């Protein structure tokens, strides 16, 4: 290496690698050693605005570590087998250029296996012990929203038909033999564990003209089941009321002529 008159250190890389310490590996740059209590390599950006680290492939930036500590990756984070990805503040996925496909994807496909699954593909847990004075928590544990604004200066109709959230459960068989499979799992399970809670387990607000709830079943089972399993007295099995200034035309409308019994009350004949 040589030192210029300005104090710059120049390393002659004509031999190929630039190696610090033991030349065992054959990479472009190898730093090897042990510095107890300190980092092996330190990058200190003191300008205040520039990236601390940038990695490129053929001149195209793939990874950057900004001065604020933000890590931007053009590819994917993979091969974390047995490891844990820990984010202290928040994890943000920006997919503003996605017009089809998937912006955020968790793949847990296992293929043919004899292993049994008893865990969670995803787990969102919020726990804390509050030691402060009186207060109010209004945050959501999970917020899924869609907001579309139509610029009507262009002609034509914009049709939106995709669901905001879709949950699907599929069970099938393959091969030949005597093996069977049963599925008694709930597709969606909601559980309110606080006995003094006054909020609804499921609250639906509909500002549109469609149905608040639409139940459609192609099976031979019960379309909807209302089951009070508690030991106390349930005030109303089904409560239908109008709390606004509008009018409910029919509280219950059973109009399909293929229904055998419009209402089957059973042993209790009080109407």
């Amino acid at each position: 290496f040589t030192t210029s008159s300005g104090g710059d250190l120049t390393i002659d890389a004509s031999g190929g690698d630039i190696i610090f310490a033991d030349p065992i590996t054959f990479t472009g740059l190898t730093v090897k050693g042990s510095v107890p209590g300190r980092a092996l390599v330190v990058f200190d950006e003191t300008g205040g605005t520039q990236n601390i680290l940038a990695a490129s492939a053929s001149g195209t930036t793939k990874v950057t570590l900004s001065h604020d500590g933000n890590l931007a990756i053009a590819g994917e984070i993979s091969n974390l087998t047995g490891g844990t990805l820990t984010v202290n503040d928040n994890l943000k996925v920006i997919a503003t250029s996605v017009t089809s496909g998937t912006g955020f994807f968790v793949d847990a496909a296992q293929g043919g296996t004899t292993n049994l699954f008893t865990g969670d593909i995803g787990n969102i847990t919020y726990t804390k012990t509050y030691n402060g004075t009186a207060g109010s928590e209004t945050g959501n544990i999970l917020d899924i929203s869609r907001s579309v604004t139509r610029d009507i200066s262009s002609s034509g109709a914009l049709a939106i038909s995709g669901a905001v959230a879709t949950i699907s459960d599929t069970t099938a068989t393959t091969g030949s033999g005597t093996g069977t499979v049963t599925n008694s799992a709930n597709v969606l399970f909601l559980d309110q564990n606080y006995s003094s809670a006054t909020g609804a387990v499921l609250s639906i607000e509909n500002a549109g003209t469609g149905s608040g709830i639409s139940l459609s079943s192609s099976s031979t089972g019960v379309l909807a089941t209302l089951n009070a399993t508690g030991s106390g007295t349930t005030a109303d099995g089904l409560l239908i009321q109008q709390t606004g200034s509008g009018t409910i035309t029919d509280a219950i409308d059973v109009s399909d002529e293929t229904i055998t019994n419009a209402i089957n009350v059973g042993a209790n004949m009080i109407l």
Side-chain angles (χ1 to χ4, degrees), residues 137-187:
E137 289 205 355
T138 59
N140 300 322
I141 304 301
L142 178 63
D143 190 347
I144 302 175
S145 63
R146 173 171 61 194
S147 178
V148 178
T149 301
R150 172 70 162 109
D151 183 357
I152 60 175
S153 60
S154 300
S155 60
L158 172 64
I160 300 174
S161 59
V164 175
T166 299
I167 302 175
S168 176
D169 181 28
T170 302
T171 302
T173 59
T174 185
S176 60
T178 59
T180 61
V181 59
T182 61
N183 188 342
S184 60
N186 298 317
V187 176

Side-chain angles (χ1 to χ4, degrees), residues 35-62:
V35 185
R38 297 185 180 182
L40 180 60
V41 178
V42 175
F43 296 94
D44 188 8
E45 200 284 309
T46 59
T49 58
Q50 304 303 312
N51 290 330
I52 298 174
L53 181 66
S56 304
S58 300
T60 302
T61 302
K62 299 297 183 180

Side-chain angles (χ1 to χ4, degrees), residues 69-71 73 77 80 83-93 104 125:
N70 297 322
L71 180 63
I73 302 176
I77 300 176
L80 290 176
T84 301
L85 176 62
T86 302
V87 180
N88 292 328
D89 295 322
N90 59 71
L91 177 63
K92 186 176 183 180
V93 179
F104 179 75
T125 302

Side-chain angles (χ1 to χ4, degrees), residues 103-138:
F104 179 75
F105 183 64
V106 178
D107 186 4
Q110 297 185 15
T113 178
T114 58
N115 296 328
L116 297 175
F117 177 70
T118 58
D120 299 311
I121 301 299
N123 191 327
I124 301 176
T125 302
Y126 170 70
T127 60
K128 77 174 184 180
T129 299
Y130 179 67
N131 299 319
T133 58
S136 176
E137 289 205 355
T138 59

